[in-house]
C-alpha cells in the first residue's frame, strides 16, 4: 500500500501554503495528500486526485456533515476537529502528518494529531508555537514549528519556514526504520531529578525483563504515561514520583490532570507507587512564586525552576487525593512509604526534611486507603533514594507482574 504525508489546513485561507508544501514534498519524492478542513466557503484552489475535500472530512463526524457546516465559527471548528480525528484515525496509509494553522486552525488539527500513534511523524506549523504549546502537544510527540509571520500568503519568511517543515517531514518519512519489536513487556516509571537514584536502581534491576519507559513527572509526563497505558502499550507501572499531585494542590506549574491514575484504574495494570517528590511544588523563576508563598521554604533548582516545600496541610490533602484514586483501582496495587524522606531534598539534614509534613501525608493516605489483599500499603525505614528501598519496589513489582500474567 502506498503511504502518504497528509498535509492538513484550511484551503479557504491557506491554499497557497498548503500547495507549496505539497510541491516541496513532491520534489523530494514524497507522496502527499492535501486535506481541507475549511468550515467556511468552498476553496477555489486546484484539487488533485489524491486531495481530500472538506465535505469528505466532515462526513466522518459521528453526526454527519451537518454537525460541522452551518454552525457558528466556534461550533464549526469544534465539529470539524472531531470529524478530522475520526477521519485521520481511520486511514491506513498515513506516513506522516504536516499541518499548519493560526490559532483556530492549530486548535482544530491538534486533537487529531494527538490521537495518532507515537512514532508517526507529526509536524504542526503554527502562529502560536512560541507560547504555551501544552494544550496542542498534550502527551504526544507532535513537533511544533513557529511560523514567525502570519500564514497569510507566501513571502520570503514563510517560504523558508514552510520549506524547512517540508524538509523535516521528508527526512522523517524517508529515513523511517522498522526495528524488530522489543519482546520485553513495557512498563512505565516516573522520575524527577530528585528521585533519579531510585529510578536508576529500578531500571538497572528490571531492564533485562522489562522495557522500562521513564517519564519526567512534569504533568505532561504523567499524561503521556497514562495515554500509553490506555492504548495497551504499557502493561505495568512503578509510579516512584507522584509529585504532580503537589502542583495540583498548590497551583504549581507541573500539575497532574483530573484523570491521573485513571488509566491504572480502567486497565487494572499492576501498580507499585510511592511518594517521590511529594515534598515539593514547582514554580518558574523565583520572582514568579505567588506572593502568599514567598515566606515558605524555597529552593532555586535552576534559573527557571523554584521549588517550594509542601506544608502539613498540603501533604494531608495529597494523601486523601491519592488514596481516593487508588481506591478505584481494582488491579493489584502496592504503595510504598519511605520513612526516611521523599526525595534527595527531604533526607535527614537536607533543606526540605520535614518529618511532620511527611507523616501528615502518610496518616491521610492510610486513613482513607481501603486496604485489601490486592491493595496494600508498605512502610519501610529507608529514604526514597536508598538502594534497599528501590530494590524492595523492584521485588514487589516482579512478583506482582508475574502473578498478574499467570492469572490473565
Amino acid at each position: 500500500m502506498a503511504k502518504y504525508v497528509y498535509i492538513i489546513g484550511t484551503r479557504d485561507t491557506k491554499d497557497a501554503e498548503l500547495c507549496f508544501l505539497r510541491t516541496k514534498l513532491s520534489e523530494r519524492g514524497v507522496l502527499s495528500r492535501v486535506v481541507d478542513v475549511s468550515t467556511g466557503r468552498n476553496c477555489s484552489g486546484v484539487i488533485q486526485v489524491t486531495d481530500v475535500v472538506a465535505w469528505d472530512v466532515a462526513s466522518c463526524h459521528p453526526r454527519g456533515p451537518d454537525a460541522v457546516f452551518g454552525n457558528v465559527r466556534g461550533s464549526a471548528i469544534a465539529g470539524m476537529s472531531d470529524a478530522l480525528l475520526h477521519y485521520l484515525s481511520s486511514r491506513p496509509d498515513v506516513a506522516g502528518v504536516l499541518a499548519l494553522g493560526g490559532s483556530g486552525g492549530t486548535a482544530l488539527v491538534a486533537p487529531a494529531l494527538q490521537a495518532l500513534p507515537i512514532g508517526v511523524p507529526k509536524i504542526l506549523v503554527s502562529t502560536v508555537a512560541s507560547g504555551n504549546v501544552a494544550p496542542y502537544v498534550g502527551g504526544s510527540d507532535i513537533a511544533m514549528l513557529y511560523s514567525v509571520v502570519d500564514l497569510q500568503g507566501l513571502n520570503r519568511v514563510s517560504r523558508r519556514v514552510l520549506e524547512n517543515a517540508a524538509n523535516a517531514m521528508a527526512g522523517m518519512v524517508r529515513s523511517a526504520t522498522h526495528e524488530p519489536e522489543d519482546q520485553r513487556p513495557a512498563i512505565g516509571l516516573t522520575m524527577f531529578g530528585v528521585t533519579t537514584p531510585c529510578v536508576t536502581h529500578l531500571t538497572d534491576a528490571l531492564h533485562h525483563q522489562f522495557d522500562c519507559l521513564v517519564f519526567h513527572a512534569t504533568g505532561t509526563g504523567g499524561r503521556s504515561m497514562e495515554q500509553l497505558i490506555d492504548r495497551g502499550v504499557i502493561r505495568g507501572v512503578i509510579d516512584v514520583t507522584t509529585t504532580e499531585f503537589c502542583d495540583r494542590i498548590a497551583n504549581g506549574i507541573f500539575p497532574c490532570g483530573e484523570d491521573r491514575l485513571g488509566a491504572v484504574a480502567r486497565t487494572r495494570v499492576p501498580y507499585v507507587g510511592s511518594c517521590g517528590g511529594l515534598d515539593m511544588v514547582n514554580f518558574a523563576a523565583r520572582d514568579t512564586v505567588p506572593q502568599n508563598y514567598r515566606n515558605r521554604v524555597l529552593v532555586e533548582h535552576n534559573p527557571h525552576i523554584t521549588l517550594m516545600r509542601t506544608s502539613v496541610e498540603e501533604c494531608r490533602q495529597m494523601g486523601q487525593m491519592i488514596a481516593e484514586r487508588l481506591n478505584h483501582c481494582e488491579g493489584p496495587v502496592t504503595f510504598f512509604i519511605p520513612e526516611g524522606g521523599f526525595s534527595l531534598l527531604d533526607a535527614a539534614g537536607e533543606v526540605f526534611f520535614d518529618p511532620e509534613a511527611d507523616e501528615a501525608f502518610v496518616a491521610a493516605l492510610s486513613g482513607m486507603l481501603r486496604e485489601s489483599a490486592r491493595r496494600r500499603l508498605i512502610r519501610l525505614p529507608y529514604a526514597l533514594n536508598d538502594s534497599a528501598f528501590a530494590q524492595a519496589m523492584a521485588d514487589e513489582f516482579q512478583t506482582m507482574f508475574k502473578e498478574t500474567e499467570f492469572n490473565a
Side-chain angles (χ1 to χ4, degrees):
M1 177 187 296
K3 294 275 189 174
Y4 296 84
V5 169
Y6 280 66
I7 307 171
I8 304 175
T10 53
R11 294 199 71 169
D12 58 356
T13 60
K14 307 289 187 291
D15 190 57
E17 293 89 340
L18 293 166
C19 292
F20 179 84
L21 289 171
R22 179 172 56 194
T23 299
K24 292 302 174 182
L25 287 174
S26 178
E27 290 173 353
R28 287 147 185 79
V30 176
L31 297 175
S32 65
R33 284 178 168 151
V34 172
V35 179
D36 185 15
V37 288
S38 304
T39 58
R41 61 183 176 82
N42 292 330
C43 171
S44 59
V46 177
I47 305 295
Q48 296 193 3
V49 174
T50 55
D51 290 347
V52 181
V53 297
W55 181 269
D56 289 343
V57 178
S59 297
C60 293
H61 193 285
R63 299 197 308 275
D66 288 344
V68 177
F69 301 118
N71 289 317
V72 296
R73 175 177 166 80
S75 298
I77 289 176
M80 183 61 87
S81 180
D82 195 17
L84 178 64
L85 189 153
H86 285 85
Y87 170 79
L88 206 57
S89 297
S90 70
R91 301 301 307 175
D93 58 352
V94 177
V97 178
L98 177 50
L100 55 82
S103 58
T106 301
L108 190 160
V109 302
L113 271 61
Q114 291 179 21
L116 291 172
I118 300 295
V120 174
K122 316 167 189 69
I123 298 177
L124 177 48
V125 182
S126 171
T127 62
V128 296
S130 67
N132 176 18
V133 299
Y136 309 113
V137 175
S140 73
D141 57 341
I142 298 171
M144 291 194 70
L145 179 61
Y146 181 44
S147 63
V148 182
V149 295
D150 204 350
L151 296 168
Q152 187 61 43
L154 296 171
N155 55 60
R156 69 183 67 188
V157 173
S158 64
R159 284 190 183 91
R160 291 296 302 272
V161 173
L162 293 174
E163 185 165 11
N164 284 342
N167 287 338
M169 178 56 65
M172 292 181 193
V173 171
R174 296 175 62 181
S175 303
T177 59
H178 301 284
E179 296 182 1
E181 185 175 349
D182 196 321
Q183 297 303 307
R184 297 170 299 168
I187 63 173
L189 303 94
T190 50
M191 187 174 81
F192 240 24
V194 292
T195 65
T196 296
C198 179
V199 176
T200 299
H201 185 98
L202 281 162
T203 56
D204 287 346
L206 297 173
H207 79 275
H208 294 294
Q209 183 179 355
F210 300 100
D211 188 14
C212 298
L213 312 184
V214 179
F215 296 85
H216 199 191
T218 56
T220 301
R223 286 189 286 277
S224 298
M225 181 178 73
E226 301 237 354
Q227 177 178 304
L228 292 176
I229 296 170
D230 273 330
R231 293 182 177 181
V233 176
I234 289 176
R235 292 165 53 188
V237 177
I238 306 181
D239 201 4
V240 173
T241 312
T242 45
T243 186
E244 295 168 335
F245 285 97
C246 300
D247 287 32
R248 182 171 181 84
I249 291 292
N251 297 315
I253 61 174
F254 296 143
C256 64
E258 181 62 38
D259 195 44
R260 186 69 160 89
L261 299 180
V264 176
R266 286 187 292 275
T267 61
R268 301 188 178 188
V269 296
Y271 176 90
V272 171
S274 192
C275 313
L278 290 182
D279 54 314
M280 59 189 64
V281 180
N282 294 267
F283 295 105
R286 192 182 186 98
D287 61 3
T288 70
V289 176
Q291 191 64 42
N292 58 313
Y293 290 147
R294 296 290 176 88
N295 63 345
R296 299 276 290 274
V297 178
L298 302 174
V299 170
E300 292 188 33
H301 182 62
N302 61 50
H304 305 289
I305 299 292
T306 304
L307 308 176
M308 179 183 76
R309 168 69 220 204
T310 46
S311 67
V312 168
E313 176 57 23
E314 288 158 354
C315 286
R316 183 189 65 78
Q317 292 181 46
M318 287 187 294
Q320 292 176 341
M321 181 177 290
I322 291 175
E324 179 183 15
R325 298 186 185 199
L326 290 178
N327 284 338
H328 287 93
C329 298
E330 299 299 331
V333 169
T334 303
F335 200 90
F336 281 84
I337 303 294
E339 295 178 333
F342 296 172
S343 81
L344 288 174
L345 295 180
D346 188 32
E350 297 297 332
V351 65
F352 279 174
F353 188 59
D354 187 344
E356 182 184 2
D358 292 352
E359 187 55 36
F361 169 81
V362 177
L365 178 72
S366 59
M368 285 192 64
L369 188 70
R370 295 195 295 269
E371 294 190 64
S372 66
R374 292 172 62 80
R375 188 184 299 116
R376 301 190 301 145
L377 187 63
I378 297 178
R379 298 182 65 146
L380 293 176
Y382 306 114
L384 180 119
N385 287 296
D386 289 347
S387 60
F389 184 80
Q391 190 60 50
M393 296 183 75
D395 293 342
E396 173 69 7
F397 183 81
Q398 286 177 307
T399 300
M400 181 187 291
F401 189 89
K402 185 176 181 179
E403 292 175 350
T404 303
E405 293 293 291
F406 178 79
N407 294 320

